[in-house]
Amino acid sequence: MDFAFAAEDEAFRGEAREWLAGHADGTQDRRTWERTLGKSGWIGIGWPEGGYGNRTATLTQQVVWAEEYARSGAPARSGHIGEKLLAPTLLAHGTDEQKARFLPPVAAGEELWCQGYSEPGAGSDLAGVRTKAARAGDGTYRISGQKIWTSLAHEADWCFVLARTDPDSPRHHGLTFLLVPMDQPGSIEVRPIRQMTGTSEFNEVFFDGAQARADHVVGGEGNGWRVAMSLLGFERGVSTLAQQIGFAQELTQVVQAAVRTDAVADPVVRALLVRQWAELRVMRWNALRTLGGSGDAGASSAAKLLWAGWHQRLGELAMLVRGERATVGPGEWSASSPYELDALQQLFLFSRADTIYGGSDQVQRTIIAERVLGLPREPKGVV
């Protein structure tokens, strides 16, 4: 792909930067911030024109917006699952009625979504889903089972759930993609999972007879695997470039810490810092090279392997340059705040999960081996 920013892209950059400077003041809670974005049409700029309340933008302008958003220090998004995952899936597989019902509230920042895929026994092995959805006499589906590592489920209004509608079906057969309202007291329970960082972005979600309407099945009953795999392809893309802006900011913090502690006097540390910088530049150009491409079964897996390992090494380097101070929190311990971490400690602890969530390194290598290199599939039952 011949990627370059044209004059109209730079004009778009100026508009985006000016708007963010005037609105991203950090005082709004995340749900209010989503509505602020929605009112100005900044949600769903990558969608095609369809009257859903969003503005449209070219691929390069989407990159510009993602970069400027990351640079602005605007609040972390809580609507990205609906915008970046659900919406493209509905545009590809949904009915006209489903698009008309669900896309405008996402574009307006009014309805937040979470993703009901992973389960205690089906995380990396998504085909092992055991959550069941049975058709009731009134035409609705009744869902029973457990999902885990469900990001932002405690804030979400809706969840797209992969469930087994044919209890006798093997593996990826007999699965269905359902849109489920989260406001069902007694039928849906959300339990936050406290992480090493002390925060709780992820959750366990328990379904006990939760209802989903028949017209809220996406892609038809039994076609959930096809829809789910299509959705996973949307997880990478423009957002990767915005992620790299955040990585660059974190690398700058690590370099500054190395200067403060005089760790840069060590030639080994200097070499590690330069390697992180060089690898980040390579990741950016690789992302730009593959952006907008299609048909490369291994591109997203290769990208995940690259950034997950890089970010984890950055977290380790953040602790190395701090020396013994890395083991001490930023404030004195007290009963009211027993678990405080600074930014670099947060980086180190959170990055330990990078090579696991979103598809573990082992799964990504298997995808590349089987779908790109054509190697024999791993024998079943091998440990």
Side-chain angles (χ1 to χ4, degrees):
M1 178 182 179
D2 183 15
F3 190 96
F5 292 115
E8 53 267 30
D9 299 325
E10 295 303 334
F12 185 83
R13 184 186 300 278
E15 179 187 359
R17 185 173 294 178
E18 181 180 1
W19 187 90
L20 286 164
H23 293 81
D25 58 8
T27 62
Q28 302 179 62
D29 62 76
R30 298 213 301 187
R31 185 176 284 268
T32 302
W33 174 241
E34 290 296 320
R35 292 171 178 152
T36 299
L37 289 168
K39 286 178 182 177
S40 294
W42 289 112
I43 300 176
I45 64 173
W47 307 350
E49 292 185 25
Y52 304 122
N54 60 302
R55 70 175 77 192
T56 57
T58 65
L59 185 59
T60 50
Q61 289 169 351
Q62 294 169 46
V63 172
V64 165
W65 168 253
E67 291 182 337
E68 291 304 316
Y69 191 95
R71 289 192 179 104
S72 72
R77 294 287 308 281
S78 57
H80 63 283
I81 296 174
E83 178 188 10
K84 303 296 186 182
L85 299 183
L86 174 76
T89 302
L90 290 182
L91 289 166
H93 302 284
T95 64
D96 290 341
E97 291 76 16
Q98 289 171 345
K99 296 173 191 175
R101 163 60 186 87
F102 292 108
L103 294 184
V106 171
E110 294 290 344
E111 289 183 348
L112 304 181
W113 286 77
C114 60
Q115 177 180 7
Y117 272 22
S118 296
E119 299 182 5
S124 295
D125 181 18
L126 191 57
V129 163
R130 291 182 293 179
T131 293
K132 297 178 181 179
R135 196 74 176 263
D138 59 2
T140 63
Y141 289 86
R142 302 300 171 89
I143 303 166
S144 298
Q146 179 187 357
K147 298 294 182 178
I148 199 166
W149 307 120
T150 309
S151 300
L152 304 178
H154 57 295
E155 299 180 13
D157 304 296
W158 289 80
C159 182
F160 48 88
V161 176
L162 190 64
R164 194 167 296 279
T165 45
D166 180 354
D168 299 321
S169 61
R171 302 294 293 163
H172 60 273
H173 301 285
L175 297 173
T176 299
F177 191 99
L178 300 134
L179 309 180
V180 183
M182 292 293 286
D183 186 16
Q184 300 190 52
S187 298
I188 298 179
E189 180 184 359
V190 177
R191 298 181 189 172
I193 300 172
R194 193 181 189 202
Q195 300 148 221
M196 286 194 298
T197 56
T199 57
S200 302
E201 291 91 354
F202 304 114
N203 304 268
E204 294 179 283
V205 182
F206 296 86
F207 298 93
D208 184 11
Q211 295 187 40
R213 288 166 42 174
D215 58 344
H216 289 171
V217 170
V218 179
E221 183 175 312
N223 295 321
W225 182 257
R226 177 173 62 90
V227 178
M229 292 300 99
S230 174
L231 182 145
L232 290 177
F234 299 129
E235 286 191 307
R236 328 286 190 223
V238 170
S239 59
T240 300
L241 290 161
Q243 178 190 55
Q244 291 170 8
I245 298 294
F247 286 172
Q249 293 168 340
E250 290 176 336
L251 177 56
T252 297
Q253 291 179 323
V254 174
V255 171
Q256 291 171 342
V259 171
R260 286 196 305 270
T261 62
D262 201 33
V264 290
D266 185 335
V268 174
V269 171
R270 290 201 304 272
L272 292 173
L273 290 169
V274 170
R275 186 183 74 171
Q276 290 296 119
W277 177 86
E279 289 179 351
L280 183 59
R281 297 298 296 174
V282 170
M283 285 195 292
R284 173 175 171 76
W285 290 115
N286 182 62
L288 291 172
R289 179 183 63 84
T290 58
L291 192 64
S294 61
D296 186 346
S300 63
S301 293
K304 175 62 167 57
L305 284 170
L306 284 171
W307 72 252
W310 183 92
H311 200 225
Q312 201 167 84
R313 290 192 299 275
L314 182 67
E316 294 166 354
L317 187 53
M319 297 298 97
L320 176 65
V321 303
R322 296 275 297 281
E324 66 275 8
R325 292 295 302 173
T327 63
V328 181
E332 293 294 328
W333 185 94
S334 70
S336 60
S337 57
Y339 199 78
E340 286 191 44
L341 300 170
D342 61 32
L344 294 184
Q345 291 168 330
Q346 290 267 358
L347 164 63
F348 170 70
L349 290 175
F350 193 87
S351 65
R352 305 316 300 165
D354 284 340
T355 54
I356 301 173
Y357 72 79
S360 68
D361 277 11
Q362 292 83 352
V363 168
Q364 305 305 335
R365 292 191 180 101
T366 297
I367 291 172
I368 293 171
E370 296 178 356
R371 301 183 189 177
V372 180
L373 302 178
L375 298 177
R377 290 187 174 273
E378 185 175 330
K380 301 298 181 184
V382 174
V383 178

